[in-house]
Amino acid sequence: MTLETIRFTLLSWPLSVFCVGMIGSAILADEPRNSSHKMPPIRLSARHVGEYAAVPWSEPGAPIAPGSREDRVRDLNLGVSSVNLTDDMSDAFLSSWATRARWAREQDKAFLPRIYFWDGTDRFKGPLRDIEVYWKRLDTFLAAMNLQDFAGIVLAEENIHYAGRPEVLRELYRRVKEKYDVAVWQWWSPMSSVPSSGGWIPADGWVIDLYFLSQPTFRRMVRKYLIAGVPLVVMPWAAQMDLNKEMTEGEWAVNTAQLDTAVEFNLPVAFFWIYGTSANFGGNRGEPQTEMDRINHWVWDHIERVHKLPYDFMGFDSADLGTGDLLEIGPTVGDRLVFGDGFANEKCIDTASMTGFRNFVMDGETLAVRGFRGRDINSTLEYRFQGDLLAQQPTVSLDVIAKPELNGKVELALSADGNNWITATSEFKDGVQQLKLASSAESEFAHLRDFRVRVRITGKSSPDESPSVRIDNLRIEAGLTAPEEKLVRLKPTDNAGSHLEYDEQFLSQKYRWLANLTNESHIEWSNGQIGVRMRPGGSAGILVWKVTNADPLRNIRVQVEGHANPIHLGTNHYVDISTDGEHWSHEVNTTGKPGDVNGWVKEHLTIDASGDPEFQGVREFYVRIRMNAQSYSKEHPNLSSVIRRLLISAETTEE
């Protein structure tokens, strides 16, 4: 059974399955819907542990039988419960949910239901209903609730960020906030969606369910949500859907690492805690005997761990740190290295190493900096550039808006070694300042294979948590020295120097300077990939790398990662090798291979020449990639070929 099938099974469950114990249809919420008595807002933390789908509490004081479902969930204090709306919700249905919410407040538990207003699968496919249909359902439900009993609501689950769905979510958020005093959370479909997906729809909080996503990717995804400046609930996997299958030790390790990240950032979790297709099962608190026992004890151990945290816990100090990717020295605009970030999305999480991360807030316009929980500001973003090509005289510019009354200040810095820096600092004045830093007069910046750019932001915290500083339009540029000849040299990957590699991930357009190209205009580059598309006369992009090494080589392997669409878009990839650049062999290609439902062939193309005497003991060989797309009446709007990585490996051998 697929996860999507499980989701729809859960969506179809009756209310009685979601509730611990039965609620009589005559029970009504006994507090006014719009009470003037204001309850303080619930600030969720790592001490909050809950479940998805069901309601993990019953009436206050109700007896709990050992081994029952009630016993299994007795220590949970958060419910991301499934409320499925229809056009004809009964008074009994509404009063039952109002009662569940009241019981949550009476027991100091957080009720954060996900409110499903869609018509089944229109959440992610097919035509949409009129917005008034969705709004009537949501409005009817909320009007029947005492919203002071809620920690908030979540607008459905795993929503897609395209095809008109963001507009629905944006409009429903607006209408709810205009009429009701309740936090409105959002939930994108995993695995790669982030707050900026769909154009930064408004959200008072987010839910993520990145099942089995390993580190460090999971931690980065968490930071991409947290930089939006609103709360986050993490949903880890705690299920045995296939009763004949157990999690691998690797999967257990990934799950535990996700919990560690949640604690590090002081985040609540709501487990996807399912046995088969049900949340209505008990738990053995004795010695674990089964896979589900082990899962239950793992959840209980987490509850015990976080309930030992102090009430004023704000996360570990490490939550302020983040490591960015190394950025490649290579041409990105013409023959220059140009790196820009307008902070319209979460790009800086990938590209910059950070200190003081929890001070940063992003809204799609600028990167704002305010003191986390009232502390003074001292945060940095550091970008590091490395590569085989030589950079010359890097320059940096940045727009700054700082509040002088909060001592807001920004320092730009450049370094060739990470120790000695040249700097430029903003002034204490209102308005937009453009900071500029040039290194043209500094001899140590004349020829660089490694340099760093740092942005340091300091200031005082504002009582209303408004930003002390905003930054925008970061631009880093450098000249480049082209190599004298087009070739690549393998680099050792082990201490002995016997295993060698060349790894091209197309992070810049350095392939233009290192490979011989045919039909270069057909080859399109964007960060992390090259590709071709159908056009009049077709596309036939060819790249040939000359690979050299001082010592003789053996066990040559070539792997190309990407995808082509031969089925619907008439495009194929071909990879082969040669000892002289003229006679080619060992061809692998995408022709005739099965594609996915959209026609894409995503299989890696791999050449292993370790058994071919012609490629043993060579000091030079050639690798060729061909991307061929058929002719089309006009330039097709989409790429039909994408290549993300070329990995060449070999071992040295004695002559």
Side-chain angles (χ1 to χ4, degrees), residues 42 44 48-49 55-58 60 73-79 100-112 148-151 307:
I42 297 174
L44 297 179
H48 286 91
V49 182
V55 180
W57 51 77
S58 54
V73 301
R74 69 190 187 197
D75 296 317
L76 299 183
N77 56 9
L78 169 64
R100 285 293 166 187
R102 174 170 55 82
W103 288 351
R105 174 176 54 80
E106 292 173 349
Q107 299 174 78
D108 292 324
K109 299 179 187 291
F111 187 49
L112 183 67
Q148 293 182 49
D149 296 337
F150 287 60
H307 283 182

PDB file of all heavy atoms in Angstrom, residues 42 44 48-49 55-58 60 73-79 100-112 148-151 307:
ATOM      1  N   ILE A  42      -0.724  29.599  22.782  1.00  0.00           N
ATOM      2  CA  ILE A  42       0.151  28.466  23.082  1.00  0.00           C
ATOM      3  C   ILE A  42       1.434  28.608  22.276  1.00  0.00           C
ATOM      4  O   ILE A  42       1.400  28.744  21.054  1.00  0.00           O
ATOM      5  CB  ILE A  42      -0.543  27.133  22.747  1.00  0.00           C
ATOM      6  CG1 ILE A  42      -1.782  26.951  23.629  1.00  0.00           C
ATOM      7  CG2 ILE A  42       0.414  25.962  22.917  1.00  0.00           C
ATOM      8  CD1 ILE A  42      -2.609  25.739  23.255  1.00  0.00           C
ATOM      9  N   LEU A  44       4.311  26.546  21.099  1.00  0.00           N
ATOM     10  CA  LEU A  44       4.739  25.152  20.979  1.00  0.00           C
ATOM     11  C   LEU A  44       6.253  25.062  21.127  1.00  0.00           C
ATOM     12  O   LEU A  44       6.993  25.951  20.719  1.00  0.00           O
ATOM     13  CB  LEU A  44       4.307  24.582  19.635  1.00  0.00           C
ATOM     14  CG  LEU A  44       2.787  24.520  19.392  1.00  0.00           C
ATOM     15  CD1 LEU A  44       2.500  23.963  18.009  1.00  0.00           C
ATOM     16  CD2 LEU A  44       2.089  23.682  20.450  1.00  0.00           C
ATOM     17  N   HIS A  48       6.312  19.545  23.358  1.00  0.00           N
ATOM     18  CA  HIS A  48       5.041  19.106  22.772  1.00  0.00           C
ATOM     19  C   HIS A  48       5.291  17.927  21.833  1.00  0.00           C
ATOM     20  O   HIS A  48       6.042  18.041  20.860  1.00  0.00           O
ATOM     21  CB  HIS A  48       4.384  20.251  22.012  1.00  0.00           C
ATOM     22  CG  HIS A  48       3.791  21.293  22.896  1.00  0.00           C
ATOM     23  ND1 HIS A  48       4.495  22.406  23.316  1.00  0.00           N
ATOM     24  CD2 HIS A  48       2.559  21.383  23.479  1.00  0.00           C
ATOM     25  CE1 HIS A  48       3.725  23.140  24.094  1.00  0.00           C
ATOM     26  NE2 HIS A  48       2.551  22.548  24.217  1.00  0.00           N
ATOM     27  N   VAL A  49       4.655  16.830  22.132  1.00  0.00           N
ATOM     28  CA  VAL A  49       4.764  15.613  21.322  1.00  0.00           C
ATOM     29  C   VAL A  49       3.350  15.121  21.042  1.00  0.00           C
ATOM     30  O   VAL A  49       2.534  14.982  21.969  1.00  0.00           O
ATOM     31  CB  VAL A  49       5.564  14.512  22.040  1.00  0.00           C
ATOM     32  CG1 VAL A  49       5.699  13.282  21.145  1.00  0.00           C
ATOM     33  CG2 VAL A  49       6.936  15.027  22.454  1.00  0.00           C
ATOM     34  N   VAL A  55      -7.064  11.869  17.778  1.00  0.00           N
ATOM     35  CA  VAL A  55      -7.077  12.786  18.913  1.00  0.00           C
ATOM     36  C   VAL A  55      -6.511  12.038  20.113  1.00  0.00           C
ATOM     37  O   VAL A  55      -7.117  11.093  20.601  1.00  0.00           O
ATOM     38  CB  VAL A  55      -8.504  13.270  19.229  1.00  0.00           C
ATOM     39  CG1 VAL A  55      -8.483  14.228  20.418  1.00  0.00           C
ATOM     40  CG2 VAL A  55      -9.125  13.935  18.015  1.00  0.00           C
ATOM     41  N   PRO A  56      -5.352  12.435  20.611  1.00  0.00           N
ATOM     42  CA  PRO A  56      -4.674  11.635  21.638  1.00  0.00           C
ATOM     43  C   PRO A  56      -5.080  11.978  23.069  1.00  0.00           C
ATOM     44  O   PRO A  56      -4.253  11.987  23.964  1.00  0.00           O
ATOM     45  CB  PRO A  56      -3.202  11.967  21.391  1.00  0.00           C
ATOM     46  CG  PRO A  56      -3.213  13.373  20.893  1.00  0.00           C
ATOM     47  CD  PRO A  56      -4.482  13.514  20.101  1.00  0.00           C
ATOM     48  N   TRP A  57      -6.340  12.287  23.297  1.00  0.00           N
ATOM     49  CA  TRP A  57      -6.822  12.482  24.665  1.00  0.00           C
ATOM     50  C   TRP A  57      -8.324  12.218  24.692  1.00  0.00           C
ATOM     51  O   TRP A  57      -9.013  12.224  23.675  1.00  0.00           O
ATOM     52  CB  TRP A  57      -6.538  13.902  25.167  1.00  0.00           C
ATOM     53  CG  TRP A  57      -6.998  14.998  24.247  1.00  0.00           C
ATOM     54  CD1 TRP A  57      -8.270  15.455  24.066  1.00  0.00           C
ATOM     55  CD2 TRP A  57      -6.179  15.741  23.347  1.00  0.00           C
ATOM     56  NE1 TRP A  57      -8.303  16.444  23.126  1.00  0.00           N
ATOM     57  CE2 TRP A  57      -7.029  16.652  22.671  1.00  0.00           C
ATOM     58  CE3 TRP A  57      -4.813  15.760  23.057  1.00  0.00           C
ATOM     59  CZ2 TRP A  57      -6.556  17.549  21.712  1.00  0.00           C
ATOM     60  CZ3 TRP A  57      -4.350  16.646  22.116  1.00  0.00           C
ATOM     61  CH2 TRP A  57      -5.212  17.529  21.449  1.00  0.00           C
ATOM     62  N   SER A  58      -8.819  11.954  25.867  1.00  0.00           N
ATOM     63  CA  SER A  58     -10.249  11.742  26.059  1.00  0.00           C
ATOM     64  C   SER A  58     -10.732  12.687  27.140  1.00  0.00           C
ATOM     65  O   SER A  58     -10.033  13.633  27.519  1.00  0.00           O
ATOM     66  CB  SER A  58     -10.530  10.282  26.417  1.00  0.00           C
ATOM     67  OG  SER A  58      -9.754   9.893  27.533  1.00  0.00           O
ATOM     68  N   PRO A  60     -11.408  14.530  30.470  1.00  0.00           N
ATOM     69  CA  PRO A  60     -10.581  14.600  31.675  1.00  0.00           C
ATOM     70  C   PRO A  60     -11.075  13.658  32.762  1.00  0.00           C
ATOM     71  O   PRO A  60     -12.269  13.575  33.048  1.00  0.00           O
ATOM     72  CB  PRO A  60     -10.731  16.067  32.116  1.00  0.00           C
ATOM     73  CG  PRO A  60     -11.058  16.809  30.866  1.00  0.00           C
ATOM     74  CD  PRO A  60     -11.883  15.867  30.053  1.00  0.00           C
ATOM     75  N   VAL A  73      -1.143   6.482  24.099  1.00  0.00           N
ATOM     76  CA  VAL A  73      -1.001   7.909  23.767  1.00  0.00           C
ATOM     77  C   VAL A  73      -1.178   8.809  24.986  1.00  0.00           C
ATOM     78  O   VAL A  73      -1.292  10.025  24.842  1.00  0.00           O
ATOM     79  CB  VAL A  73      -2.023   8.306  22.680  1.00  0.00           C
ATOM     80  CG1 VAL A  73      -1.818   7.485  21.424  1.00  0.00           C
ATOM     81  CG2 VAL A  73      -3.461   8.188  23.184  1.00  0.00           C
ATOM     82  N   ARG A  74      -1.148   8.240  26.182  1.00  0.00           N
ATOM     83  CA  ARG A  74      -1.529   8.988  27.384  1.00  0.00           C
ATOM     84  C   ARG A  74      -0.634  10.203  27.641  1.00  0.00           C
ATOM     85  O   ARG A  74      -1.072  11.180  28.253  1.00  0.00           O
ATOM     86  CB  ARG A  74      -1.511   8.067  28.604  1.00  0.00           C
ATOM     87  CG  ARG A  74      -0.107   7.623  29.013  1.00  0.00           C
ATOM     88  CD  ARG A  74      -0.122   6.541  30.059  1.00  0.00           C
ATOM     89  NE  ARG A  74       1.251   6.266  30.526  1.00  0.00           N
ATOM     90  CZ  ARG A  74       1.591   5.169  31.185  1.00  0.00           C
ATOM     91  NH1 ARG A  74       0.673   4.235  31.440  1.00  0.00           N
ATOM     92  NH2 ARG A  74       2.840   5.016  31.583  1.00  0.00           N
ATOM     93  N   ASP A  75       0.618  10.157  27.199  1.00  0.00           N
ATOM     94  CA  ASP A  75       1.549  11.244  27.486  1.00  0.00           C
ATOM     95  C   ASP A  75       1.684  12.241  26.337  1.00  0.00           C
ATOM     96  O   ASP A  75       2.502  13.165  26.415  1.00  0.00           O
ATOM     97  CB  ASP A  75       2.929  10.680  27.827  1.00  0.00           C
ATOM     98  CG  ASP A  75       2.908   9.840  29.092  1.00  0.00           C
ATOM     99  OD1 ASP A  75       2.256  10.271  30.059  1.00  0.00           O
ATOM    100  OD2 ASP A  75       3.524   8.758  29.109  1.00  0.00           O
ATOM    101  N   LEU A  76       0.902  12.073  25.288  1.00  0.00           N
ATOM    102  CA  LEU A  76       0.937  13.037  24.190  1.00  0.00           C
ATOM    103  C   LEU A  76       0.194  14.301  24.587  1.00  0.00           C
ATOM    104  O   LEU A  76      -0.837  14.251  25.275  1.00  0.00           O
ATOM    105  CB  LEU A  76       0.310  12.441  22.925  1.00  0.00           C
ATOM    106  CG  LEU A  76       0.969  11.191  22.330  1.00  0.00           C
ATOM    107  CD1 LEU A  76       0.260  10.770  21.044  1.00  0.00           C
ATOM    108  CD2 LEU A  76       2.444  11.422  22.058  1.00  0.00           C
ATOM    109  N   ASN A  77       0.688  15.432  24.129  1.00  0.00           N
ATOM    110  CA  ASN A  77       0.043  16.707  24.460  1.00  0.00           C
ATOM    111  C   ASN A  77      -0.164  17.591  23.233  1.00  0.00           C
ATOM    112  O   ASN A  77      -0.328  18.802  23.348  1.00  0.00           O
ATOM    113  CB  ASN A  77       0.846  17.452  25.527  1.00  0.00           C
ATOM    114  CG  ASN A  77       2.299  17.676  25.129  1.00  0.00           C
ATOM    115  OD1 ASN A  77       2.684  17.418  23.991  1.00  0.00           O
ATOM    116  ND2 ASN A  77       3.105  18.155  26.062  1.00  0.00           N
ATOM    117  N   LEU A  78      -0.147  16.991  22.046  1.00  0.00           N
ATOM    118  CA  LEU A  78      -0.353  17.715  20.794  1.00  0.00           C
ATOM    119  C   LEU A  78      -1.124  16.819  19.834  1.00  0.00           C
ATOM    120  O   LEU A  78      -0.798  15.640  19.677  1.00  0.00           O
ATOM    121  CB  LEU A  78       0.996  18.104  20.177  1.00  0.00           C
ATOM    122  CG  LEU A  78       0.996  18.642  18.746  1.00  0.00           C
ATOM    123  CD1 LEU A  78       0.249  19.966  18.651  1.00  0.00           C
ATOM    124  CD2 LEU A  78       2.428  18.799  18.219  1.00  0.00           C
ATOM    125  N   GLY A  79      -2.132  17.371  19.198  1.00  0.00           N
ATOM    126  CA  GLY A  79      -2.895  16.624  18.207  1.00  0.00           C
ATOM    127  C   GLY A  79      -3.003  17.373  16.897  1.00  0.00           C
ATOM    128  O   GLY A  79      -3.590  18.459  16.849  1.00  0.00           O
ATOM    129  N   ARG A 100     -13.887  17.998  21.851  1.00  0.00           N
ATOM    130  CA  ARG A 100     -12.497  17.524  21.839  1.00  0.00           C
ATOM    131  C   ARG A 100     -11.518  18.689  22.042  1.00  0.00           C
ATOM    132  O   ARG A 100     -10.518  18.563  22.743  1.00  0.00           O
ATOM    133  CB  ARG A 100     -12.188  16.813  20.522  1.00  0.00           C
ATOM    134  CG  ARG A 100     -12.781  15.427  20.409  1.00  0.00           C
ATOM    135  CD  ARG A 100     -12.121  14.502  21.386  1.00  0.00           C
ATOM    136  NE  ARG A 100     -12.884  13.264  21.521  1.00  0.00           N
ATOM    137  CZ  ARG A 100     -12.615  12.328  22.405  1.00  0.00           C
ATOM    138  NH1 ARG A 100     -11.603  12.487  23.236  1.00  0.00           N
ATOM    139  NH2 ARG A 100     -13.346  11.244  22.490  1.00  0.00           N
ATOM    140  N   ALA A 101     -11.815  19.808  21.400  1.00  0.00           N
ATOM    141  CA  ALA A 101     -10.950  20.972  21.553  1.00  0.00           C
ATOM    142  C   ALA A 101     -10.988  21.488  22.994  1.00  0.00           C
ATOM    143  O   ALA A 101      -9.958  21.862  23.570  1.00  0.00           O
ATOM    144  CB  ALA A 101     -11.382  22.071  20.585  1.00  0.00           C
ATOM    145  N   ARG A 102     -12.182  21.503  23.584  1.00  0.00           N
ATOM    146  CA  ARG A 102     -12.292  21.977  24.969  1.00  0.00           C
ATOM    147  C   ARG A 102     -11.527  21.058  25.904  1.00  0.00           C
ATOM    148  O   ARG A 102     -10.835  21.523  26.824  1.00  0.00           O
ATOM    149  CB  ARG A 102     -13.768  22.056  25.372  1.00  0.00           C
ATOM    150  CG  ARG A 102     -13.981  22.391  26.841  1.00  0.00           C
ATOM    151  CD  ARG A 102     -15.436  22.708  27.130  1.00  0.00           C
ATOM    152  NE  ARG A 102     -16.326  21.645  26.717  1.00  0.00           N
ATOM    153  CZ  ARG A 102     -16.581  20.548  27.447  1.00  0.00           C
ATOM    154  NH1 ARG A 102     -15.979  20.370  28.610  1.00  0.00           N
ATOM    155  NH2 ARG A 102     -17.437  19.630  27.005  1.00  0.00           N
ATOM    156  N   TRP A 103     -11.631  19.755  25.692  1.00  0.00           N
ATOM    157  CA  TRP A 103     -10.890  18.808  26.534  1.00  0.00           C
ATOM    158  C   TRP A 103      -9.381  19.049  26.421  1.00  0.00           C
ATOM    159  O   TRP A 103      -8.647  18.858  27.389  1.00  0.00           O
ATOM    160  CB  TRP A 103     -11.227  17.384  26.135  1.00  0.00           C
ATOM    161  CG  TRP A 103     -12.604  16.951  26.546  1.00  0.00           C
ATOM    162  CD1 TRP A 103     -13.477  17.614  27.349  1.00  0.00           C
ATOM    163  CD2 TRP A 103     -13.261  15.751  26.141  1.00  0.00           C
ATOM    164  NE1 TRP A 103     -14.648  16.911  27.490  1.00  0.00           N
ATOM    165  CE2 TRP A 103     -14.540  15.752  26.754  1.00  0.00           C
ATOM    166  CE3 TRP A 103     -12.921  14.681  25.329  1.00  0.00           C
ATOM    167  CZ2 TRP A 103     -15.469  14.722  26.585  1.00  0.00           C
ATOM    168  CZ3 TRP A 103     -13.832  13.642  25.162  1.00  0.00           C
ATOM    169  CH2 TRP A 103     -15.086  13.663  25.782  1.00  0.00           C
ATOM    170  N   ALA A 104      -8.929  19.445  25.239  1.00  0.00           N
ATOM    171  CA  ALA A 104      -7.502  19.739  25.080  1.00  0.00           C
ATOM    172  C   ALA A 104      -7.096  20.899  25.985  1.00  0.00           C
ATOM    173  O   ALA A 104      -6.105  20.824  26.717  1.00  0.00           O
ATOM    174  CB  ALA A 104      -7.190  20.068  23.623  1.00  0.00           C
ATOM    175  N   ARG A 105      -7.874  21.985  25.944  1.00  0.00           N
ATOM    176  CA  ARG A 105      -7.529  23.139  26.773  1.00  0.00           C
ATOM    177  C   ARG A 105      -7.591  22.797  28.252  1.00  0.00           C
ATOM    178  O   ARG A 105      -6.724  23.210  29.035  1.00  0.00           O
ATOM    179  CB  ARG A 105      -8.463  24.307  26.455  1.00  0.00           C
ATOM    180  CG  ARG A 105      -8.273  25.501  27.386  1.00  0.00           C
ATOM    181  CD  ARG A 105      -9.130  26.680  26.987  1.00  0.00           C
ATOM    182  NE  ARG A 105     -10.534  26.335  26.860  1.00  0.00           N
ATOM    183  CZ  ARG A 105     -11.374  26.225  27.901  1.00  0.00           C
ATOM    184  NH1 ARG A 105     -10.929  26.384  29.131  1.00  0.00           N
ATOM    185  NH2 ARG A 105     -12.651  25.956  27.690  1.00  0.00           N
ATOM    186  N   GLU A 106      -8.597  22.036  28.647  1.00  0.00           N
ATOM    187  CA  GLU A 106      -8.754  21.700  30.058  1.00  0.00           C
ATOM    188  C   GLU A 106      -7.606  20.848  30.592  1.00  0.00           C
ATOM    189  O   GLU A 106      -7.358  20.817  31.796  1.00  0.00           O
ATOM    190  CB  GLU A 106     -10.085  20.977  30.277  1.00  0.00           C
ATOM    191  CG  GLU A 106     -11.301  21.866  30.065  1.00  0.00           C
ATOM    192  CD  GLU A 106     -12.611  21.113  30.121  1.00  0.00           C
ATOM    193  OE1 GLU A 106     -12.588  19.851  30.113  1.00  0.00           O
ATOM    194  OE2 GLU A 106     -13.676  21.769  30.173  1.00  0.00           O
ATOM    195  N   GLN A 107      -6.902  20.180  29.676  1.00  0.00           N
ATOM    196  CA  GLN A 107      -5.797  19.310  30.093  1.00  0.00           C
ATOM    197  C   GLN A 107      -4.436  19.853  29.649  1.00  0.00           C
ATOM    198  O   GLN A 107      -3.449  19.127  29.620  1.00  0.00           O
ATOM    199  CB  GLN A 107      -6.015  17.896  29.530  1.00  0.00           C
ATOM    200  CG  GLN A 107      -7.296  17.251  30.040  1.00  0.00           C
ATOM    201  CD  GLN A 107      -7.584  15.923  29.360  1.00  0.00           C
ATOM    202  OE1 GLN A 107      -6.978  14.892  29.693  1.00  0.00           O
ATOM    203  NE2 GLN A 107      -8.495  15.933  28.390  1.00  0.00           N
ATOM    204  N   ASP A 108      -4.401  21.149  29.285  1.00  0.00           N
ATOM    205  CA  ASP A 108      -3.157  21.804  28.867  1.00  0.00           C
ATOM    206  C   ASP A 108      -2.503  21.088  27.681  1.00  0.00           C
ATOM    207  O   ASP A 108      -1.286  20.908  27.628  1.00  0.00           O
ATOM    208  CB  ASP A 108      -2.165  21.881  30.038  1.00  0.00           C
ATOM    209  CG  ASP A 108      -2.642  22.819  31.127  1.00  0.00           C
ATOM    210  OD1 ASP A 108      -3.259  23.842  30.796  1.00  0.00           O
ATOM    211  OD2 ASP A 108      -2.417  22.507  32.311  1.00  0.00           O
ATOM    212  N   LYS A 109      -3.322  20.695  26.741  1.00  0.00           N
ATOM    213  CA  LYS A 109      -2.828  20.063  25.523  1.00  0.00           C
ATOM    214  C   LYS A 109      -3.093  20.987  24.333  1.00  0.00           C
ATOM    215  O   LYS A 109      -3.965  21.865  24.404  1.00  0.00           O
ATOM    216  CB  LYS A 109      -3.474  18.695  25.317  1.00  0.00           C
ATOM    217  CG  LYS A 109      -3.169  17.714  26.450  1.00  0.00           C
ATOM    218  CD  LYS A 109      -3.833  16.370  26.251  1.00  0.00           C
ATOM    219  CE  LYS A 109      -3.661  15.455  27.446  1.00  0.00           C
ATOM    220  NZ  LYS A 109      -2.278  14.989  27.621  1.00  0.00           N
ATOM    221  N   ALA A 110      -2.326  20.807  23.272  1.00  0.00           N
ATOM    222  CA  ALA A 110      -2.403  21.698  22.107  1.00  0.00           C
ATOM    223  C   ALA A 110      -3.174  21.018  20.985  1.00  0.00           C
ATOM    224  O   ALA A 110      -2.761  19.964  20.477  1.00  0.00           O
ATOM    225  CB  ALA A 110      -1.004  22.072  21.639  1.00  0.00           C
ATOM    226  N   PHE A 111      -4.288  21.623  20.602  1.00  0.00           N
ATOM    227  CA  PHE A 111      -5.129  21.088  19.538  1.00  0.00           C
ATOM    228  C   PHE A 111      -4.855  21.886  18.267  1.00  0.00           C
ATOM    229  O   PHE A 111      -5.177  23.073  18.176  1.00  0.00           O
ATOM    230  CB  PHE A 111      -6.597  21.197  19.946  1.00  0.00           C
ATOM    231  CG  PHE A 111      -7.558  20.517  19.006  1.00  0.00           C
ATOM    232  CD1 PHE A 111      -7.342  19.219  18.580  1.00  0.00           C
ATOM    233  CD2 PHE A 111      -8.690  21.181  18.560  1.00  0.00           C
ATOM    234  CE1 PHE A 111      -8.238  18.587  17.725  1.00  0.00           C
ATOM    235  CE2 PHE A 111      -9.596  20.564  17.706  1.00  0.00           C
ATOM    236  CZ  PHE A 111      -9.361  19.267  17.285  1.00  0.00           C
ATOM    237  N   LEU A 112      -4.234  21.248  17.286  1.00  0.00           N
ATOM    238  CA  LEU A 112      -3.842  21.881  16.018  1.00  0.00           C
ATOM    239  C   LEU A 112      -4.371  21.020  14.872  1.00  0.00           C
ATOM    240  O   LEU A 112      -3.611  20.351  14.167  1.00  0.00           O
ATOM    241  CB  LEU A 112      -2.323  22.016  15.948  1.00  0.00           C
ATOM    242  CG  LEU A 112      -1.725  22.718  14.731  1.00  0.00           C
ATOM    243  CD1 LEU A 112      -2.089  24.195  14.708  1.00  0.00           C
ATOM    244  CD2 LEU A 112      -0.204  22.552  14.713  1.00  0.00           C
ATOM    245  N   GLN A 148     -10.619  29.657  21.135  1.00  0.00           N
ATOM    246  CA  GLN A 148      -9.639  29.776  22.206  1.00  0.00           C
ATOM    247  C   GLN A 148      -9.165  28.406  22.687  1.00  0.00           C
ATOM    248  O   GLN A 148      -8.168  28.314  23.402  1.00  0.00           O
ATOM    249  CB  GLN A 148     -10.240  30.567  23.373  1.00  0.00           C
ATOM    250  CG  GLN A 148     -10.513  32.022  23.015  1.00  0.00           C
ATOM    251  CD  GLN A 148     -11.052  32.802  24.197  1.00  0.00           C
ATOM    252  OE1 GLN A 148     -10.493  32.742  25.286  1.00  0.00           O
ATOM    253  NE2 GLN A 148     -12.132  33.530  23.984  1.00  0.00           N
ATOM    254  N   ASP A 149      -9.874  27.369  22.293  1.00  0.00           N
ATOM    255  CA  ASP A 149      -9.457  26.009  22.638  1.00  0.00           C
ATOM    256  C   ASP A 149      -8.449  25.448  21.640  1.00  0.00           C
ATOM    257  O   ASP A 149      -7.968  24.327  21.820  1.00  0.00           O
ATOM    258  CB  ASP A 149     -10.679  25.084  22.680  1.00  0.00           C
ATOM    259  CG  ASP A 149     -11.667  25.462  23.770  1.00  0.00           C
ATOM    260  OD1 ASP A 149     -11.242  26.123  24.740  1.00  0.00           O
ATOM    261  OD2 ASP A 149     -12.860  25.117  23.639  1.00  0.00           O
ATOM    262  N   PHE A 150      -8.138  26.192  20.598  1.00  0.00           N
ATOM    263  CA  PHE A 150      -7.274  25.723  19.523  1.00  0.00           C
ATOM    264  C   PHE A 150      -5.890  26.358  19.633  1.00  0.00           C
ATOM    265  O   PHE A 150      -5.763  27.544  19.952  1.00  0.00           O
ATOM    266  CB  PHE A 150      -7.859  26.095  18.157  1.00  0.00           C
ATOM    267  CG  PHE A 150      -9.059  25.290  17.732  1.00  0.00           C
ATOM    268  CD1 PHE A 150     -10.227  25.285  18.495  1.00  0.00           C
ATOM    269  CD2 PHE A 150      -9.036  24.554  16.566  1.00  0.00           C
ATOM    270  CE1 PHE A 150     -11.334  24.563  18.101  1.00  0.00           C
ATOM    271  CE2 PHE A 150     -10.143  23.818  16.157  1.00  0.00           C
ATOM    272  CZ  PHE A 150     -11.299  23.823  16.934  1.00  0.00           C
ATOM    273  N   ALA A 151      -4.877  25.583  19.304  1.00  0.00           N
ATOM    274  CA  ALA A 151      -3.542  26.157  19.108  1.00  0.00           C
ATOM    275  C   ALA A 151      -3.430  26.771  17.726  1.00  0.00           C
ATOM    276  O   ALA A 151      -2.504  27.542  17.445  1.00  0.00           O
ATOM    277  CB  ALA A 151      -2.476  25.086  19.287  1.00  0.00           C
ATOM    278  N   HIS A 307      10.346  15.755  27.947  1.00  0.00           N
ATOM    279  CA  HIS A 307       9.662  16.229  29.149  1.00  0.00           C
ATOM    280  C   HIS A 307      10.639  16.520  30.279  1.00  0.00           C
ATOM    281  O   HIS A 307      10.256  17.131  31.291  1.00  0.00           O
ATOM    282  CB  HIS A 307       8.601  15.222  29.581  1.00  0.00           C
ATOM    283  CG  HIS A 307       7.368  15.283  28.736  1.00  0.00           C
ATOM    284  ND1 HIS A 307       6.252  14.502  28.954  1.00  0.00           N
ATOM    285  CD2 HIS A 307       7.072  16.050  27.638  1.00  0.00           C
ATOM    286  CE1 HIS A 307       5.329  14.774  28.046  1.00  0.00           C
ATOM    287  NE2 HIS A 307       5.813  15.701  27.230  1.00  0.00           N
TER     288      HIS A 307
END
